């Protein structure tokens, strides 16, 4: 947390409101304020009754649970005694309905090919791959790493892991070999599933080479399965590496679902925290499934006839919950796209919406800012009239970007759901309900049923309307994380210690306005939000300091037109501070080094060399001042505790 943030000032005061049309409300799954309030109040006053009723009607169980919720935050359990399987709920149960021959996944490769899987076909592939997992000795409870491009085999692998009870750990393709090794090691993964590469902006992004490079530091990994996607050269190691297509050739498709406990670990997903190594957020089976099923239905008003497209990468939580598990559990049609939004040109997304007649479109503010920059001529060339609902996720959306989305993509007709949630929350927490909520640009509006947030001071005291403070959750919910893999102490410390176990602390600052609408103002810890992805300043600092030439480093964010936040690194070299060509060469080297250590997503935007960093008398780096310098603002804050005033002036003069 920054030095001076007990009071968070809000400067945004947006007054426009956009109620849903009568027509939309009439057909919506949740269609009136009364219905919402009744659900919300019931869930608040009687969470076990509320979630229990839905769990019985909306999920298929092998054995009904004994109790809905046990324990208190931080240690809650849901649906104990129950036996269930996520793969069954996403696939098998649809096969006895008219949905069996309906598209489950429509996939488009960057190179233009389209593959469609009906529920029956997807079930077939998943059963086959589940039997491959059996054959390779993967058992319920084992961890499996997936490091794959956005291809159907990724969804198939996830659902097959869920089928046999293996806990998947998906690593986004933008991470480096070192990051894979760290995660393999932390999870003690037994198997890695990857591909030769994937296509992105017309180029092959190699994946298998990174897996190869991670192997030396991944002693737990016994086998690697490789999907052939690009046809690029790969090195296959005998006895360790297998081609997906070879294994699938003689696999049989009769693999039934393992009956798993409600709290069986479904997946680990690593995310950045403010200190130390990435955190392995653990989600379990029944609660997560229930949360993603219901939030998909409520927030996206998801119906069987919809073609729904979430543009996230499955390497992030959004893809887990809202490309794969939530939509498939609902029997919806989910689109999946492999590549870049500007390939072969900046009209790609709009062309795809027109081609597939997409009805619901869910993307990120960082993408919307890019669309705005590329120009209106791209969406204008396409018929977007199939759209009926738009969504955003990942960071606060600024009202002007919201208005552009509303006018240019939604033709002032489609409700926009600005969904606030986190890797840890598993599913959407605060969001408009499209048939109910009058939206305000920039606000994620109101909590969903089952979500009881509050805005509090550092001491946990409640704040009044429009007073900025810390966003907390005062009640547990079924789809919340259960622990940080292998480090329960850190889990308690990170999310619950601040308020003595009473609240879940989200790490975000927010205010609630006089209408009860939430306005999230961003992270209050040392976590950057770069293009909607959380990056720890601490991890980037460690990567920099691991370079032989660096003595000390401090990383801060600064406002960036497209990415939301850019990465600015202040670096104290071990020798003299270089200048001119030598400085440029050193900057390049450090940028490459960080990419190598963490991956392309953490590429620094600025490296500034300095001979000292501003510190308090107790030796803490004054990040607030560095943020001002990185943003080009004069520092107006209190500097009386600064150890060396001259440091500030020197930093301001450093090259970018
Ligand atoms: O700061 C909030 C921001 O993204 C953080 C969660 O990041 P991550 O775990 O990577 O998950 C992103 C996708 C769910 C939050 O703590 N955030 C996410 N959605 C919003 C948001 N900030 C404002 N408005 C949102 N709609």
């Amino acid at each position: 947390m920054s030095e001076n943030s007990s009071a968070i000032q809000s400067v945004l005061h947006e007054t426009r409101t956009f109620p849903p049309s009568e027509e939309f409300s009439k057909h919506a799954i949740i269609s009136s304020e009364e219905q919402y309030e009744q659900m919300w109040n019931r869930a608040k006053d009687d969470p076990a009754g509320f979630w229990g009723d839905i769990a019985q009607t909306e999920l298929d169980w092998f054995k009904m649970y004994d109790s809905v919720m046990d324990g208190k935050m931080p240690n809650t359990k849901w649906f104990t005694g129950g036996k269930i399987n996520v793969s069954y709920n996403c696939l098998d149960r649809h096969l006895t309905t008219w949905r069996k021959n309906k598209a489950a996944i429509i996939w488009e490769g960057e190179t233009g090919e389209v593959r469609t899987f009906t529920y029956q076909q997807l079930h077939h592939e998943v059963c086959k791959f589940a039997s491959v997992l059996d054959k390779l000795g993967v058992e319920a409870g084992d961890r499996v790493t997936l490091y794959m491009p956005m291809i159907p085999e990724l969804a198939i692998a996830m659902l097959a892991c869920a089928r046999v009870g293996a806990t998947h750990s998906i690593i986004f393709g933008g991470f480096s070999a070192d990051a894979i090794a760290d995660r393999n090691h932390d999870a003690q993964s037994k198997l890695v599933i990857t591909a030769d590469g994937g296509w992105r902006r017309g180029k092959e992004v190699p994946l298998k080479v990174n897996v190869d490079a991670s192997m030396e530091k991944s002693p737990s990994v016994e086998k690697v399965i490789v999907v052939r996607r690009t046809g690029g050269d790969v090195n296959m190691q005998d006895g360790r590496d297998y081609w997906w297509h070879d294994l699938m050739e003689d696999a049989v498709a009769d693999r039934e679902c393992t009956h798993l406990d409600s709290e069986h670990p479904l997946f680990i997903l690593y995310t950045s925290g403010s200190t130390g190594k990435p955190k392995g957020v653990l989600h379990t089976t029944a609660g997560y499934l229930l949360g993603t099923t219901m939030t998909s239905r409520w927030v996206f008003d998801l119906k069987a006839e919809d073609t729904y497209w979430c543009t996230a990468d499955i390497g992030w939580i959004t893809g887990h919950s809202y490309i794969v598990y939530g939509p498939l559990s609902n029997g919806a049609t989910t689109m999946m796209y492999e590549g870049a939004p500007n390939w072969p040109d900046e009209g790609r997304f709009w062309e795809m919406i027109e081609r597939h007649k997409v009805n619901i479109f869910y993307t990120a503010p960082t993408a919307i800012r890019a669309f705005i920059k590329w120009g209106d001529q791209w969406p204008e060339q396409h018929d977007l009239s199939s759209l009926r609902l738009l969504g955003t996720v990942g960071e606060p959306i600024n009202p002007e970007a919201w208005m552009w989305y509303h006018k240019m993509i939604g033709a002032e007709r489609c409700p926009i759901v600005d969904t606030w949630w986190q890797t840890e929350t598993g599913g959407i927490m605060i969001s408009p309900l499209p048939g109910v909520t009058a939206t305000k640009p920039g606000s994620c509006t109101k909590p969903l049923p089952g979500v009881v947030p509050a805005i509090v001071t550092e001491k946990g005291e409640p704040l009044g309307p429009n007073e900025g403070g810390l966003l907390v959750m005062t009640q547990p919910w079924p789809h919340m994380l259960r622990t940080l893999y292998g480090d329960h102490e850190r889990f308690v410390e990170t999310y619950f210690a601040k308020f003595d176990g009473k609240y879940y602390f989200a790490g975000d600052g927010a205010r609630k306005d006089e209408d009860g609408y939430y306005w999230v103002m961003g992270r209050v810890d040392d976590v950057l939000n770069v293009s909607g992805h959380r990056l720890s300043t601490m991890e980037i600092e460690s990567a920099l300091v691991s370079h032989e030439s660096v003595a000390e480093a401090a990383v801060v964010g600064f406002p960036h037109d497209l990415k939301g936040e850019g990465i600015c690194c202040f670096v104290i070299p071990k020798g003299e501070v270089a200048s001119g060509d030598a400085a440029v060469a050193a900057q390049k080297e450090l940028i490459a080094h960080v990419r190598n250590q963490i991956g392309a997503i953490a590429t620094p935007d600025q490296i500034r060399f300095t001979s000292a960093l501003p510190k308090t008398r107790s030796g803490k780096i004054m990040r607030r001042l560095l943020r001002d310098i990185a943003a080009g603002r004069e520092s107006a804050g209190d500097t009386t505790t600064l150890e060396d005033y001259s440091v500030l002036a020197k930093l301001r003069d450093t090259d970018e």
Side-chain angles (χ1 to χ4, degrees), residues 390-404:
L390 304 174
T392 74
V393 60
E395 58 183 303
I397 179 164
N398 80 28
E400 289 327 303
W402 194 103
M403 288 305 298
W404 181 90

Side-chain angles (χ1 to χ4, degrees), residues 572-615:
I572 305 180
K574 279 190 183 145
E576 285 289 292
V577 174
S579 59
D581 287 351
V584 173
Q587 281 163 342
K588 278 202 182 131
E589 188 168 330
L590 287 181
I591 290 172
H593 181 70
V594 173
R595 286 173 64 111
N596 207 10
Q597 295 278 304
I598 306 177
I601 49 160
T603 307
D605 295 282
Q606 298 178 13
I607 302 266
R608 298 183 181 216
F609 293 111
T610 174
S611 55
L613 288 164
K615 289 189 181 167

Side-chain angles (χ1 to χ4, degrees), residues 234-537:
V234 291
N235 162 52
M236 297 292 280
Q237 187 176 306
D238 246 8
R240 185 194 72 188
D241 299 350
Y242 302 81
W243 285 109
W244 173 289
H245 55 263
D246 287 343
L247 294 169
M248 288 290 264
E249 204 171 61
D250 46 26
V252 281
D254 61 357
R255 182 28 161 117
E256 294 294 335
C257 290
T258 303
H259 297 196
L260 299 167
D261 288 339
S262 294
E263 285 290 343
H264 187 79
L266 177 65
F267 67 84
I268 301 167
L269 182 54
Y270 286 89
T271 189
S272 295
S274 54
T275 52
K277 63 183 173 83
K279 304 179 296 194
V281 169
L282 183 88
H283 283 288
T284 58
T285 297
Y288 173 81
L289 177 66
L290 184 65
T292 52
T293 304
M294 298 321 296
T295 52
S296 302
R297 197 179 310 165
W298 294 333
V299 174
F300 301 115
D301 191 44
L302 194 55
K303 308 206 178 86
E305 58 270 30
D306 283 318
T307 301
Y308 159 92
W309 183 19
C310 165
T311 69
D313 192 289
I314 292 177
W316 309 113
I317 190 69
T318 308
H320 285 61
S321 299
Y322 298 112
I323 296 178
V324 181
Y325 293 122
L328 294 180
S329 169
N330 278 291
T333 297
T334 181
M335 282 236 328
M336 197 175 156
Y337 171 56
E338 176 185 33
N342 53 350
W343 188 264
D345 62 36
E346 282 76 2
R348 180 63 182 261
F349 276 14
W350 320 124
E351 185 199 321
M352 283 178 62
I353 290 175
E354 180 174 2
R355 181 168 41 249
H356 298 284
K357 305 272 179 289
V358 172
N359 307 112
I360 302 168
F361 180 67
Y362 188 34
T363 194
T366 183
I368 297 171
R369 288 191 295 269
F371 304 149
I372 296 173
K373 187 166 169 240
W374 294 337
D376 296 353
Q377 71 275 21
W378 297 106
E380 271 167 4
Q381 284 168 33
H382 296 279
D383 176 7
L384 305 181
S385 62
S386 59
L387 290 171
R388 67 179 194 89
L389 177 63
L390 304 174
T392 74
V393 60
E395 58 183 303
I397 179 164
N398 80 28
E400 289 327 303
W402 194 103
M403 288 305 298
W404 181 90
Y405 199 30
H406 170 68
K407 288 190 180 143
M408 189 53 60
I409 308 305
E412 303 187 32
R413 181 175 45 78
C414 303
I416 297 180
V417 290
D418 173 351
T419 62
W420 179 89
W421 60 295
Q422 308 178 293
T423 305
E424 293 87 342
T425 68
I428 298 169
M429 301 291 278
I430 310 182
S431 166
L433 291 171
V436 175
T437 319
T439 50
K440 302 185 189 185
S443 168
C444 52
T445 78
K446 293 190 176 183
L448 295 183
V451 175
V452 190
I455 309 282
V456 299
T457 64
E458 284 279 337
K459 295 204 177 83
E461 294 143 356
L463 284 161
N466 289 316
E467 288 181 328
L470 307 177
L471 178 61
V472 298
M473 300 298 143
T474 65
Q475 255 182 224
W477 62 101
H479 36 301
M480 72 189 290
L481 81 167
R482 297 298 191 266
T483 192
L484 293 176
Y485 190 77
D487 199 348
H488 197 67
E489 213 172 292
R490 188 176 176 201
F491 160 76
V492 175
E493 175 63 33
T494 309
Y495 305 106
F496 300 94
K498 195 172 183 71
F499 302 110
D500 297 329
K502 208 167 123 197
Y503 300 142
Y504 166 85
F505 173 45
D508 280 356
R511 73 181 162 94
K512 187 161 90 161
D513 72 15
E514 54 287 350
D515 299 324
Y517 280 45
Y518 285 81
W519 299 78
V520 173
M521 284 135 61
R523 308 281 312 169
V524 295
D525 50 19
D526 286 327
V527 173
L528 307 181
N529 193 328
V530 179
S531 303
H533 303 309
R534 275 159 65 180
L535 294 175
S536 151
T537 53

